[in-house]
Amino acid sequence: FSFFQADGENTFSELLTAFNSLSLGAVLISVLSIVVLVYWNKTPLKKYKFFPSSLFIVMLGVVMNELYKLFAPNLIIQASHLVSIPIITNPASFVTFPNFSSITNTQVWIVAVTIAIVASLETLLNLEAVTNLDPEKRLASPNRELVAQGVGNIFSGLLGGLPVTSVIVRSSVNIEAGARSKWSAVLHGGLLLISVFFLRDILNRIPLASLAAILIYTGYKLANALLFKKMYRKGSNQFIPFLITITAILFTDLLVGVLIGLAICVYYLLKINYKNPFDIDKDSTHGEETIKIKLANQLSFLNKGKLKETLGALANDSKVVIDASDCDFIDYDVLEVIYDFEHTISKNKNIKLNIIGQRITAVVQHKKINDHITFTDVFDKETQQKLSPNDVLAILQKGNDRFINGTTTEKYLKQQMNATATSQSPIAVVLSCIDSRTTTEHVFDLGLGDIFSVRVAGNILNEDILGSMEFATKIVGTKLVVVLGHTKCGAIAGACNNIKMGNLTAVLNKIQPAVLAEETITLNRDGDNMEFVNKVSTNNVHLTIERIRAESPIIRELENTGQVKLVGAMYDIKTGKVNFY
């Protein structure tokens, strides 16, 4: 129960001292029992769920001790080393009401707290373990489990009984035996009660060595070398508290060891929270760099220093977004930091500040912190004209990379709508297919007002579309024209199959030159051959670019003077990747 014993021994020396009281008969039962437990699943008996290994071990111990009495009296297990259930002549005599005179005894409270903590922890751990063992993976309420345990312990104590807690061994045996409902636990309790009253003589023949073997083997399974390796692989934040808790329990006692372990866990939780209160991202998509600070789900007072330091280090004339849209809780101390930055620091440093996220609304210093917008990331005329065609191409490539990696930027569409209400300065015009999977704003991670998007089946070209491109490049000043095809295109497949259907026929006829231009594939030249379809799609992109140059002197001149660039591209609908030509 504690590291240092009253007789001067300690946890480790006591193990050595135990050899002075060696009981050969008990050792034989324990060793044989552990061997059986280890190899049980390799025997035919494992298929009999109603006959678990633990029951066999108990029967084995009883039989061996009876054989000792017949053939080896020197190995007989002493009565003090057998289960001892007293004779019950009057059930009422077993009820012992509490003596409340000890309620002020500090030792009583220490033991009570120890039992409450350890029993609660064990119950919660067992609940999780049983949930994992349950074939149906049903979820039980931890709160209800703890309340039931608390009520049970109150009544058990009032009647003179021992504290109760959940035990994984009995629960796992129940599941292995095929139990499917809580009635198995009720029946289990009833059988225990019957056994105490009517099977006392049989139960009192069970050697404690048999039960010890079961506990040793169960303990080994719960804390073997594989568990230590598993915890080690989880990293120092998991392994160090785990190791310190075990060491503390061994060198102190259960209560002190658990409390030390909890303290270490709290330390690491605080450490993690201090380090990860927010993410910082820098975005230069719209020209001037924007610093985006994405706040974590929970911000406590521990995060105040880190956030204050970060905000204080921002350069003059910066553009900053504080995004609290994912926050469920922000401590008042952190809100004060945001409030001071909004009303004082950002103004002193001429920082353009956006505060986004309705959940951040709060009262600080008798004033509210609400969504605060001072700028919107859209392309204005000045930024558009500064960009070269290659700059625009790089913006599209980076946007596609973010789309693929799942790191797309936040789109404040309402603010972008307001900012572009009077004028627009998009940087590119993209001719793409009408396919629902090729939305160009998403594919290139762009927002309102960033690009002209022309969409038609098979990304074909006609007089109307060409006129729209001339308007975009010559009048509005876009720097890049992109013809975007995609894999597994339905319109291209229709052209490969030479489908005729109403007005669609005229659309697919415009794709026929691309079908004829594909000469590398000679067999299965139809819409079912995706390799053929994808090659025709690529040809269609190249031929469309050639037609733009040939049929639009305006765009051709802009390209020749370096004001506009024409590029082709293919979008892979499986990976999201856009390959530019």
Side-chain angles (χ1 to χ4, degrees), residues 13-213:
S13 66
E14 196 72 75
L15 293 174
L16 298 174
T17 305
F19 283 95
N20 298 329
S21 305
L22 193 68
S23 171
L24 185 58
V27 171
L28 289 174
I29 291 175
S30 295
V31 171
L32 185 58
S33 297
I34 290 174
V35 170
V36 171
L37 288 168
V38 169
Y39 291 100
W40 181 263
N41 286 334
K42 296 181 181 179
T43 69
L45 294 173
K46 70 173 183 178
K47 62 182 180 181
Y48 300 107
K49 299 294 185 181
F50 64 88
F51 188 58
S53 57
S54 52
L55 178 59
F56 179 84
I57 294 305
V58 168
M59 295 173 62
L60 178 66
V62 172
V63 170
M64 287 184 66
N65 195 39
E66 293 301 317
L67 292 175
Y68 291 162
K69 294 177 182 178
L70 296 175
F71 304 106
N74 58 316
L75 298 180
I76 294 175
I77 307 296
Q78 299 177 14
S80 59
H81 289 172
L82 300 175
V83 169
S84 179
I85 296 175
I87 299 174
I88 303 173
T89 54
N90 180 14
S93 65
F94 258 62
V95 178
T96 305
F97 293 101
N99 178 6
F100 286 101
S101 63
S102 299
I103 197 71
T104 57
N105 187 334
T106 56
Q107 292 300 314
V108 170
W109 284 96
I110 290 173
V111 172
V113 170
T114 303
I115 291 171
I117 292 175
V118 174
S120 298
L121 288 173
E122 184 173 353
T123 292
L124 292 175
L125 288 171
N126 289 339
L127 185 64
E128 184 175 354
V130 172
T131 300
N132 291 332
L133 290 173
D134 181 13
E136 299 178 25
K137 301 298 178 185
R138 289 164 291 188
L139 297 178
S141 169
N143 291 335
R144 189 169 62 179
E145 189 79 12
L146 290 177
V147 168
Q149 178 183 290
V151 172
N153 276 330
I154 288 172
F155 281 98
S156 179
L158 289 173
L159 298 175
L162 291 172
V164 298
T165 185
S166 169
V167 180
I168 188 61
V169 174
R170 294 201 295 269
S171 299
S172 61
V173 168
N174 245 354
I175 291 173
E176 289 174 7
R180 288 291 179 269
S181 75
K182 66 182 73 175
W183 283 106
S184 60
V186 175
L187 181 61
H188 166 75
L191 291 174
L192 279 177
L193 187 63
I194 293 172
S195 299
V196 167
F197 278 101
F198 301 106
L199 301 178
R200 182 185 66 86
D201 290 339
I202 296 176
L203 296 179
N204 284 348
R205 295 173 182 268
I206 300 173
L208 297 180
S210 298
L211 306 182

Side-chain angles (χ1 to χ4, degrees), residues 304 307-309 311-312 314 322 332-351 353 355 360 362-369 372:
K304 175 182 178 179
L307 182 61
K308 188 174 184 179
E309 177 186 346
L311 294 176
L314 294 172
I322 298 177
Y332 185 86
D333 290 340
V334 177
L335 288 171
E336 276 194 325
V337 171
I338 298 173
Y339 180 87
D340 291 340
F341 182 75
E342 176 189 352
H343 290 85
T344 306
I345 299 174
S346 64
K347 294 178 180 179
N348 293 340
K349 289 188 171 185
N350 194 33
I351 292 175
L353 174 65
I355 298 178
I360 202 173
V363 178
V364 178
Q365 300 177 15
H366 307 292
K367 294 183 180 180
K368 280 190 175 182
I369 298 179
H372 175 83

Side-chain angles (χ1 to χ4, degrees), residues 215-274:
L215 290 176
I216 289 171
Y217 182 67
T218 302
Y220 169 75
K221 288 196 295 183
L222 293 174
N224 57 24
L226 290 177
L227 175 64
F228 282 80
K229 290 180 180 178
K230 181 181 177 182
M231 295 300 294
Y232 180 77
R233 292 192 191 102
K234 289 183 177 180
S236 59
N237 288 344
Q238 295 286 328
F239 184 66
I240 292 177
F242 169 73
L243 205 59
I244 290 177
T245 303
I246 291 175
T247 305
I249 290 173
L250 287 175
F251 282 91
T252 57
D253 58 39
L254 197 56
L255 176 61
V256 173
V258 168
L259 292 177
I260 291 174
L262 286 173
I264 297 296
C265 289
V266 168
Y267 165 76
Y268 274 94
L269 284 173
L270 296 179
K271 181 181 176 183
I272 291 170
N273 274 302
Y274 181 78

Side-chain angles (χ1 to χ4, degrees), residues 320-555:
V320 179
V321 176
I322 298 177
D323 187 352
S325 55
D326 289 341
C327 289
D328 288 329
F329 170 77
I330 304 179
D331 189 87
Y332 185 86
D333 290 340
V334 177
L335 288 171
E336 276 194 325
V337 171
I338 298 173
Y339 180 87
D340 291 340
F341 182 75
E342 176 189 352
H343 290 85
T344 306
I345 299 174
S346 64
K347 294 178 180 179
N348 293 340
K349 289 188 171 185
N350 194 33
I351 292 175
K352 295 179 181 178
L353 174 65
N354 288 352
I355 298 178
I356 304 294
Q358 292 296 328
R359 297 182 188 181
I360 202 173
T361 301
V363 178
V364 178
Q365 300 177 15
H366 307 292
K367 294 183 180 180
K368 280 190 175 182
I369 298 179
N370 293 306
D371 280 7
H372 175 83
I373 307 296
T374 60
F375 70 92
T376 304
D377 279 330
V378 296
F379 289 106
D380 54 26
K381 196 66 179 178
E382 182 182 359
T383 304
Q384 181 205 57
Q385 292 306 306
K386 285 181 181 179
L387 295 171
S388 70
N390 286 331
D391 291 335
V392 176
L393 180 58
I395 289 172
L396 266 58
Q397 289 172 323
K398 290 179 181 178
N400 182 240
D401 289 339
R402 293 193 300 273
F403 173 72
I404 294 170
N405 297 327
T407 56
T408 53
T409 56
E410 292 288 342
K411 305 294 185 299
Y412 309 116
L413 299 179
K414 182 179 179 181
Q415 288 74 34
Q416 289 176 347
M417 176 187 67
N418 294 332
T420 57
T422 56
S423 64
Q424 60 173 335
S425 301
I427 58 174
V429 54
V430 181
L431 170 59
S432 64
C433 183
I434 197 174
D435 192 290
S436 63
R437 299 164 292 181
T438 61
T439 308
T440 48
E441 288 84 357
H442 291 168
V443 168
F444 296 117
D445 188 30
L446 296 171
L448 288 176
D450 289 344
I451 58 171
F452 283 118
S453 181
V454 184
R455 305 187 66 188
V456 62
N459 43 276
I460 63 166
L461 188 70
N462 59 30
E463 186 181 44
D464 300 327
I465 293 172
L466 198 56
S468 299
M469 288 182 174
E470 291 174 347
F471 167 76
T473 53
K474 185 68 175 179
I475 306 301
V476 182
T478 55
K479 302 297 184 68
L480 188 70
V481 176
V482 181
V483 179
L484 179 64
H486 68 94
T487 59
K488 298 184 178 180
C489 178
I492 300 293
C496 292
N497 288 331
N498 199 25
I499 290 178
K500 306 293 182 183
M501 188 183 75
N503 293 318
L504 180 63
T505 304
V507 175
L508 299 185
N509 285 341
K510 291 181 171 62
I511 303 174
Q512 285 302 320
V515 178
L516 297 174
E518 171 48 45
E519 298 177 346
T520 61
I521 295 178
T522 57
L523 299 176
N524 301 322
R525 292 171 58 86
D526 55 43
D528 294 328
N529 184 350
M530 280 302 117
E531 183 184 3
F532 179 62
V533 170
N534 293 340
K535 287 191 174 186
V536 171
S537 294
T538 303
N539 289 340
N540 187 49
V541 169
H542 290 303
L543 292 175
T544 301
I545 291 175
E546 290 178 9
R547 283 190 59 196
I548 294 172
R549 291 192 179 110
E551 299 176 19
S552 174
I554 293 175
I555 295 178

